[in-house]
Amino acid sequence: MGCGERLGPFTKGLGMGKGLFATQLIRKGDTVFVERPVVAAQFLWNALYRYRACDHCLRALEKAEENAQRLTGKPGQVLPHPELCAVRKDLHQNCPQCQVVYCSAECRLAAAEQYHQVLCPGPSQDDPLHPLNKLQEAWRSVHYPPETASIMLMARMVATVKQAKDKDRWIRLFSQFCNKTANEEEEIVHKLLGDKFKGQLELLRRLFTEALYEEALSQWFTPDGFRSLFALVGTNGQGIGTSSLSQWVHACDALELKPRDREQLDAFIDQLYKDIEAATGEFLNCEGSGLFVLQSCCNHSCVPNAETSFPENNFLLHVTALEDIKPGEEICISYLDCCQRERSRHSRHRILRENYLFVCSCPKCLAEADEPNVTSEEEEEDEEEEEGEPEDAELGDEMTDV
């Protein structure tokens, strides 16, 4: 991979392409690294549907019981062991100007120092004619759930540069994320916005420019530059999921209980999730995405040796070894979810080619190279169902539950 940057127990390849390699033995279950995103943002529909998250770190703000009540549609839903809920409402703070909510004073100050001074709408938070509100409404009109990106991630990138004293440093940082050819960028934008993407992209560019123009980033506001910015976010954005209810469930799992009490608690939790599925479907978490420098260097494998998660119920990404990783071995994650990884090589390649524009050559794909390029009847049925979903349903890294 050529030259590399030494980063603790791993190194970042900087040669022909990106990659992350172990420099010492990493044991199964070890945390390879923990990373804070360069920038992150909650998905706009997710926020509109009252999935309450910290406006900076995406930590879930609802108490676990409140979360269960909303997701089941049962205002009287009560959870046992309420003391296991980790949400600290006494620490929550609002922006004094626009009233967006943060989980702590630290997050409020961090947002203000990085980007929020530029993006704060003040008393115009609910004014539909405010330039940022017009931009967000336009985005929601073209990018429906299941969401995979947010125009506000791009807005926070611009706002970060606008506020920065050393603008060049941040521009260099954002430039580390991979770039695509013009044709590849068009494919990614098409996937995000659908068949009418050219007209929609121009509308978003005009509103984006009206709300956020910055001379130091003038290239980002041109038609070609804006398309490139879209493609950067579309291919590098890592899904983030947080949930106070999920945190409560994990805490319940750790309780030392008598067998009968354990059986009753597990049955209660199983029924709770059935009730949630009936009322809410698959949308359980506060969801958003972020740009992570190290995570973006991790290449895909259909048999990954590491996985991403958000165990701290915020935007801090943990990469954990799924098996022993030897010195010199590449650290790979999967861009596919568990079900997709069990599909045929042909189906996996189709998903990766359509969403990430590459052909996988991992050990599993090479071992299955002689298989016919066909899908099973069951997979064909799944693909027909997917064709009925919004075109962006698969784009973006796997949303990792907490």
Side-chain angles (χ1 to χ4, degrees):
M1 189 62 81
C3 60
E5 180 182 350
R6 185 65 178 260
L7 298 160
F10 52 88
T11 187
K12 183 169 67 172
L14 300 174
M16 295 295 289
K18 289 187 176 182
L20 216 59
F21 297 82
T23 58
Q24 63 189 54
L25 177 63
I26 302 173
R27 293 290 186 186
K28 178 181 179 179
D30 284 355
T31 298
V32 182
F33 63 85
V34 178
E35 185 176 14
R36 180 184 299 269
V38 178
V39 67
Q42 187 178 5
F43 293 148
L44 292 179
W45 280 106
N46 190 258
L48 190 68
Y49 282 123
R50 298 186 298 116
Y51 287 77
R52 297 181 58 239
C54 174
D55 198 59
H56 182 64
C57 78
L58 275 68
R59 184 184 297 278
L61 298 177
E62 290 177 306
K63 287 278 192 180
E65 191 167 88
E66 294 174 324
N67 194 197
Q69 290 169 350
R70 179 173 57 80
L71 293 177
T72 60
K74 298 178 179 179
Q77 178 71 62
V78 176
L79 297 185
H81 303 288
E83 73 281 358
L84 297 180
C85 177
V87 174
R88 291 284 307 278
K89 288 198 169 188
D90 56 308
L91 298 180
H92 296 179
Q93 291 199 4
N94 297 75
C95 167
Q97 280 76 44
C98 68
Q99 302 303 310
V100 296
V101 186
Y102 299 97
C103 68
S104 63
E106 290 78 11
C107 276
R108 180 178 63 81
L109 292 173
E113 289 175 4
Q114 184 179 340
Y115 55 80
H116 191 66
Q117 293 176 51
V118 167
L119 297 179
C120 180
S124 301
Q125 172 77 355
D126 297 319
D127 180 1
L129 298 180
H130 188 281
L132 280 174
N133 289 336
K134 289 165 64 177
L135 176 65
Q136 292 178 77
E137 181 57 35
W139 175 258
R140 281 192 293 264
S141 72
V142 298
H143 189 76
Y144 294 96
E147 300 168 272
T148 56
S150 172
I151 195 77
M152 293 309 294
L153 191 66
M154 298 161 61
R156 289 185 178 183
M157 293 169 67
V158 173
T160 294
V161 175
K162 288 173 79 76
Q163 278 192 214
K165 293 179 180 178
D166 186 353
K167 299 183 189 301
D168 288 341
R169 170 182 170 270
W170 282 98
I171 293 172
R172 288 194 302 271
L173 188 59
F174 289 131
S175 70
Q176 291 187 42
F177 295 96
C178 68
N179 296 310
K180 300 290 185 182
T181 66
N183 286 340
E184 288 173 332
E185 288 175 353
E186 284 218 350
E187 287 187 53
I188 295 163
V189 175
H190 182 193
K191 195 71 177 177
L192 280 168
L193 299 181
D195 290 335
K196 300 178 181 178
F197 72 94
K198 290 186 178 179
Q200 293 167 339
L201 188 65
E202 179 55 28
L203 170 63
L204 289 169
R205 186 185 71 85
R206 180 173 59 78
L207 293 172
F208 195 76
T209 302
E210 178 186 333
L212 294 162
Y213 185 77
E214 163 60 40
E215 185 62 33
L217 295 169
S218 57
Q219 173 59 26
W220 284 7
F221 294 88
T222 66
D224 287 347
F226 191 63
R227 183 193 63 213
S228 296
L229 186 61
F230 242 83
L232 182 155
V233 169
T235 53
N236 289 278
Q238 162 69 48
I240 300 170
T242 64
S243 166
S244 56
L245 180 62
S246 179
Q247 293 293 105
W248 174 83
V249 170
H250 286 318
C252 286
D253 290 342
L255 287 174
E256 294 185 6
L257 300 173
K258 295 178 181 178
R260 180 175 176 79
D261 293 337
R262 166 57 60 191
E263 185 178 338
Q264 289 178 342
L265 181 57
D266 288 348
F268 173 86
I269 292 172
D270 288 344
Q271 185 59 49
L272 178 65
Y273 275 111
K274 289 177 182 178
D275 292 344
I276 290 173
E277 184 177 6
T280 310
E282 63 185 81
F283 299 103
L284 304 183
N285 299 335
C286 298
E287 295 181 355
S289 64
L291 295 179
F292 297 83
V293 174
L294 287 178
Q295 177 273 337
S296 73
C297 294
C298 293
N299 287 316
H300 163 82
S301 173
C302 297
V303 280
N305 56 14
E307 66 177 355
T308 60
S309 63
F310 297 89
E312 298 185 47
N313 196 35
N314 60 12
F315 63 16
L316 289 178
L317 177 142
H318 290 234
V319 171
T320 306
L322 293 172
E323 58 188 53
D324 288 353
I325 304 174
K326 299 175 183 177
E329 190 175 347
E330 184 171 9
I331 299 164
C332 293
I333 58 177
S334 180
Y335 301 169
L336 305 176
D337 64 32
C338 297
C339 294
Q340 291 168 339
R341 290 201 295 272
E342 294 305 313
R343 289 186 175 187
S344 67
R345 175 178 177 270
H346 173 71
S347 293
R348 297 196 308 273
H349 277 206
R350 178 187 63 81
I351 296 169
L352 292 168
R353 187 172 56 251
E354 290 180 0
N355 294 290
Y356 298 98
L357 311 182
F358 73 89
V359 176
C360 183
S361 58
C362 73
K364 182 175 182 178
C365 287
L366 292 177
E368 297 174 354
D370 294 333
E371 290 187 359
N373 289 330
V374 295
T375 58
S376 68
E377 184 176 331
E378 182 179 341
E379 287 180 338
E380 287 176 354
E381 291 175 359
D382 289 340
E383 289 173 10
E384 287 175 5
E385 289 180 10
E386 287 169 6
E387 288 174 1
E389 295 177 353
E391 293 202 17
D392 58 356
E394 289 172 336
L395 189 62
D397 283 355
E398 177 186 352
M399 177 66 71
T400 310
D401 203 352
V402 290

